Every structure is written in C-alpha cells, then in structure tokens.
C-alpha cells in the first residue's frame, strides 16, 4: 500500500514552539524536515528563516509542496544532518538561533510499502532513508554473518531472542535470498515466538534494529549534537525528539557532557530539561506516533 498524501501531525508541537520561541529576525534549522510539519509551524509562528534538511528526497518533495507559500523564507536541502556544519559554511552562516532534530523515521517512510520499512505492508527489503546511497537491507542480509546480525538485533532492538532470530534469518537466506519485507517478517515472527495476545508485533524490535543498522542512525549523533550547540548564538536552543531509548540515552549523555565538560572548561550550553518532556495523554491518543517521544533541549550560553 502506498499512501499518496500521508497525514502527519508534528510531535509535541506546543513544547517545540515554546522552547524555540521563533523570532522574525531569527534563523532556524530543522535538521529533519520530513513532511514539513514542524517547519510549517515555526514559519506560521513568525520564524524569519528556516533551513530544512532531510536525507530523503521524497520527504523533501512533500515538504516543498506543503511549504510553498513560505518559499521566500525557507530553504530545503538534501543533506544528512551530520553534515550541517558544511551546509552552513557553504552559505557563509556562522551562527543560528535555534535548531530542531525530530529523529528517526517518518510516517510517510513507514506507510510507503515500496520503501521497505514496514512489517505490516509487503515491499522490497530496502529500508534506506536515502534511497540513492548505501546498501539495501536485502543486500546487507545476503552477506552478513550470524554473530554480527545477532549483535545488531540485540543492541539496536533490545530483543532478547536476538540469537534465535539471527539464526533463523541466516538459515532462511542460505536457502533463498530474502527479498521482501513480508518474508522477513514471517521468519522473524516464527523465530521470536509469542502469542497473539502480545501488545507488540514480534517483528517490531527486529525491524527497528535493522532500520537503525542500515541507516547508521546512532553513528555520529553525539558529534552532531555537540557541533550544533556550538553553532547556536547565545540564548539559542537545540530541541531533540527521540523515539527509542538508545537514541534518547545518547542525547541525554551528550547534553550532560556539554553542560559539564570533563576537563572543567567553561560549558557552552545548559540543559533545559533535567527530565525529558513527554507527550500529554491527549496527544498520545490523537497521534499514536508520538507515544514513545522524549524531548530534550539545551540552550547556548555565553
Ligand atoms: C520523524 S521525521 C520528521 C518529521 C517532521 N518533523 C515533520 O514535522 O514532518 C524524521 C525525518 O528525519 C529524516 N532523517 C533521519 N535521519 C536523518 C539524517 N541523518 N539526516 C537528515 N535527515 C534524516 C528522515 O528521512 C525523516 O524524514
């Protein structure tokens, strides 16, 4: 199933808006513009200018249409947020007033079967956010060894049946290359076991792990957070929304390290959220994608 016009409400909009408090003379970076929901909200609230990055060209095309009326105040760039320093340097920008990173996968990516992210809709085993670079999941699964695969599923999926699942995937692919998400999901479900009473589909954790692996989602996240805080003007804020505990842990530790440098030098930022903010019950009900969100924010100090 391919959704032509994905509906996507931005997560924790009120919290993002009150933390970034956009100004007409301000420049903001939406590091994960996705379907453009947060960027649209910032522009509507009076942000002077927004640079929006995404590594998915489909997401950018969607955002471009959604943000058409703001075209004079927004620039969309096909880039990985880990290259933000280069994106800014190419535009001779030395400081920004705020940044947002709404991490992870978008509802459009999950809902489009052809992108191969979902265990609910059958599609090719791809899972790349940037469909023009790197190996597809099918290619990667064709040559990965069982031990590496088990580690990936265990670490990135926090899946206790990782060894069993890895063994089942490797023995299935040794019989015949895995090419479709439905095939993989059924191999994983059979290996993970569990009854229909379970809240989570037994393939959930493994699919999350494989997605993080294929897209290198945790690689360089700390360096990105550090360099983005360093790019903020004094008083500028970085807001990060994470959707799983591994990602949130990196955000928490990196923010702490910035606020309390080990070498006792003066910190360049202070943490605004000693505990992460979470969606209200009403938002969780209205927008199920928000359920596991954890928001943390940091402010640049002089
Ligand atoms: C949760 S969605 C963002 C949704 C957006 N805030 C909105 O309101 O529509 C996350 C987006 O981040 C993008 N993304 C993930 N990792 C990225 C990276 N390293 N660099 C750039 N974009 C990335 C994904 O392609 C996806 O479109």
């Amino acid at each position: 199933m391919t959704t032509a016009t994905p509906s996507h409400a931005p997560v924790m909009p009120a919290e993002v808006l009150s933390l970034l408090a956009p100004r007409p003379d301000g420049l903001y970076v939406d590091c994960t513009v996705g379907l453009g929901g947060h960027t649209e909200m910032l522009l509507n609230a009076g942000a002077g200018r927004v640079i929006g990055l995404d590594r998915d060209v489909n997401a950018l095309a969607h955002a471009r249409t959604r943000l058409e009326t703001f075209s004079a105040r927004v620039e969309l760039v096909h880039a990985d947020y880990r290259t933000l320093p280069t994106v800014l340097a190419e535009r001779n920008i030395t400081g920004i007033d705020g940044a947002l990173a709404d991490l992870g996968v978008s509802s459009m990516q999950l809902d489009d079967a052809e992108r191969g992210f979902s265990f609910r809709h059958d599609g090719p085993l791809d899972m790349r956010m940037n469909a023009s670079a790197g190996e597809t999941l099918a290619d990667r699964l064709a040559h990965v060894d069982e031990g590496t695969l088990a580690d990936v599923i265990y670490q990135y999926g926090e899946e206790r049946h990782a060894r069993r699942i890895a063994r089942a995937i490797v023995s299935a692919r040794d019989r015949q290359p895995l090419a479709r998400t439905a095939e993989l999901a059924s191999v994983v479900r059979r290996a993970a076991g569990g009854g229909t009473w379970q809240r989570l589909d037994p393939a959930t954790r493994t699919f999350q792990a494989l997605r993080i692996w294929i897209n290198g989602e945790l690689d360089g996240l700390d360096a990105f957070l550090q360099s983005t805080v360093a790019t903020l003007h004094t008083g500028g804020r970085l807001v990060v929304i994470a959707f799983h505990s591994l990602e949130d842990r990196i955000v928490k530790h990196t923010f702490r390290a910035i606020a309390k440098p080990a070498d006792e030098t003066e910190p360049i930022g202070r943490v605004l959220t000693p505990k992460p903010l979470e969606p209200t019950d009403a938002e969780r009900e209205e927008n199920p994608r928000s359920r596991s969100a954890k928001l943390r924010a940091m402010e640049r100090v002089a």
Side-chain angles (χ1 to χ4, degrees), residues 8-11 30-40 53-60 62-63 66 77-83 100-109 115 117 128-130 215-217 219 224 241 243 247 289:
H8 176 84
V11 168
D30 186 345
C31 304
T32 51
V33 76
L35 307 182
H38 285 113
T39 288
E40 182 180 46
L53 312 185
D54 206 292
R55 59 171 161 173
D56 181 340
V57 282
N58 289 354
L60 286 173
H62 187 89
R66 181 177 192 164
V77 187
H78 183 215
D80 190 306
Y81 56 63
R82 290 167 289 198
T83 65
L100 169 69
D102 176 19
L103 300 172
V105 70
S106 75
S107 50
M108 185 170 79
Q109 290 163 336
R115 302 296 301 275
F117 283 96
R128 290 168 304 162
M129 289 184 187
N130 180 355
N215 292 291
E217 287 178 39
D219 307 344
F224 155 73
I241 307 174
F243 291 88
E247 210 165 57
R289 201 186 79 82

Side-chain angles (χ1 to χ4, degrees), residues 154-255:
Y154 184 71
Q155 281 171 20
Y156 295 160
E158 300 178 289
E159 166 63 72
R160 63 198 168 96
H161 303 306
R163 306 236 153 256
R164 229 155 71 191
I165 295 171
R167 198 172 319 130
I169 294 175
V170 166
S171 91
R173 91 112 201 245
D174 287 345
R175 284 193 301 275
Q176 191 187 334
L178 289 165
R180 310 284 302 175
T181 56
E183 279 175 78
L184 176 65
S186 89
V187 171
V188 173
R189 286 188 189 114
R190 246 178 292 135
T196 45
W197 47 268
Q198 291 186 116
R199 197 172 60 86
L200 271 187
D201 186 303
T204 309
R205 294 177 193 283
T206 301
F207 269 63
Q208 171 189 297
L210 296 174
R211 194 200 84 214
I212 293 172
W213 180 47
I214 284 298
N215 292 291
E217 287 178 39
L218 305 178
D219 307 344
L221 181 56
D222 52 349
F224 155 73
L225 297 171
Q226 300 212 16
S227 67
T228 306
V229 172
T231 310
L232 292 168
H233 291 136
T234 303
R237 290 167 169 188
L238 168 62
V239 174
V240 183
I241 307 174
F243 291 88
H244 53 80
S245 53
L246 302 165
E247 210 165 57
D248 181 57
R249 210 172 299 151
I250 296 177
V251 180
K252 177 169 93 179
H253 289 307
T254 309
F255 277 9

